[in-house]
């Protein structure tokens, strides 16, 4: 039956993809399990109470700086960022073209989560430093983590003790939409509404963004 062939083929590919993903997770765990035992320091800095602002940190992976039109005027890829720069220049600082701390998500995520600036991280301070969640919570913020990439948490970057300092966890694009291509926009609408009504929120957002599949992504910046 020629009509059923594409369905069987699609099912076979999905099975192969699922098996490959499971094997990758196992490989990653075996390579990274030594990091799970490293204790995280407790944040003991000065605290403030009832902050009257909101903090939003967005981590969009696999973005080349020269593909962003605020760094390359010949392109028109980030019109909303350009509009923000024109209208609110006092709130905008562009670091320009920079290199990531690593070619694999493990190190850059750890560095961004802990604020480590010394590279290479030979002392593994990105594993031991208090996280932004700890610091925000210690300063009176309600901590929110939107990870639209998936529900495989905790992991080697966001370990259990890190997740324990998150007040609200949203894992997977399905938290906001059944359509993977619209999930980023729905999450943005959700946060915009929260920011209108509430103060004292610290939000770490990992959108689907342009990481994969790149050909299907639409600019949200």
């Amino acid at each position: 039956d020629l009509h059923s062939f594409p369905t069987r083929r699609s099912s076979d590919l999905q099975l192969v993809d699922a098996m490959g993903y499971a094997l990758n997770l196992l490989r990653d765990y075996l390579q990274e399990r030594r990091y799970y035992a490293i204790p995280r320091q407790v944040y003991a800095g000065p605290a403030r109470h009832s902050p009257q602002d909101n903090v939003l940190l967005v981590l969009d992976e696999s973005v080349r700086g020269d593909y962003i039109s605020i760094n390359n005027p010949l392109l028109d890829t980030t019109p909303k960022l350009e509009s923000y720069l024109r209208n609110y220049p006092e709130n905008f600082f562009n670091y320009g073209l920079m290199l990531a701390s690593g070619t694999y998500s493990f190190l850059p995520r750890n560095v961004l989560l802990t604020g480590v600036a010394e590279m290479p991280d030979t002392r593994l301070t990105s594993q031991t430093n208090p996280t932004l969640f700890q610091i925000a919570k210690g300063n009176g913020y309600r901590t929110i983590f939107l990870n639209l990439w998936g529900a495989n948490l905790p992991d080697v970057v966001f370990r259990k003790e890190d997740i324990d300092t998150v007040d609200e966890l949203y894992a997977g694009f399905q938290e906001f939409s059944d359509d993977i291509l619209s999930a980023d926009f729905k999450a943005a609408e959700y946060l915009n509404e929260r920011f209108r009504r509430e103060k004292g929120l610290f939000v770490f957002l990992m959108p689907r963004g342009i990481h994969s599949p790149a050909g299907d992504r639409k600019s949200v910046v």
Side-chain angles (χ1 to χ4, degrees), residues 29-214:
Y29 172 76
L30 292 176
Q31 289 179 345
E32 299 166 351
R33 60 182 176 179
R34 63 188 183 277
Y35 297 117
Y36 283 92
I38 299 176
R40 179 81 70 191
Q41 297 175 10
V42 176
Y43 174 69
R48 64 185 178 123
H49 303 285
S50 302
Q52 295 304 304
D53 60 356
N54 295 313
V55 178
L56 172 63
L57 173 62
V58 182
L59 171 59
D60 194 356
E61 297 192 65
S62 297
V63 181
R64 275 180 51 171
D66 58 341
Y67 278 23
I68 298 175
S69 52
I70 57 172
N71 293 328
N72 188 343
L74 299 178
L75 301 178
D76 184 27
T77 52
T78 52
K80 292 183 181 179
L81 279 181
E82 292 177 64
S83 174
Y84 189 89
L85 175 59
R86 287 195 302 271
N87 295 320
Y88 307 99
E90 70 279 3
N91 295 333
F92 194 99
F93 187 85
N94 180 16
Y95 287 91
L97 299 179
M98 303 183 69
L99 293 175
S101 53
T103 57
Y104 179 50
S105 297
F106 168 71
L107 183 57
R109 288 184 185 179
N110 270 308
V111 166
L112 290 170
L113 188 65
T114 58
V116 172
E118 182 181 335
M119 290 287 119
D121 185 21
T122 56
R123 296 183 295 165
L124 298 180
T125 48
S126 62
Q127 296 290 307
T128 59
N129 275 12
T131 68
L132 295 178
F133 291 123
Q134 290 174 267
I135 297 170
K137 199 169 182 66
N139 282 275
Y141 287 88
R142 180 169 184 81
T143 54
I144 304 174
F145 183 19
L146 282 70
N147 180 3
L148 273 62
W149 271 96
N152 298 306
L153 295 172
D155 59 20
V156 69
V157 177
F158 305 102
R159 290 175 283 175
K160 183 180 183 303
E161 59 266 36
D162 302 329
I163 299 299
D164 288 343
T165 60
V166 176
D167 295 311
E168 299 179 34
L169 173 63
Y170 301 87
F173 71 90
Q174 299 89 344
E175 295 270 13
F176 299 95
S177 175
D178 293 331
D179 175 21
I180 192 172
L181 296 181
S182 66
D184 286 354
F185 298 93
K186 295 295 184 182
E189 292 172 2
Y190 170 78
L191 290 177
N192 187 55
E193 180 59 30
R194 292 275 311 253
F195 289 160
R196 289 179 186 275
R197 294 184 284 107
E198 302 175 56
K199 297 299 179 185
L201 303 179
F202 172 80
V203 181
F204 187 12
L205 170 62
M206 291 179 58
R208 295 291 303 185
I210 66 168
H211 189 34
S212 176

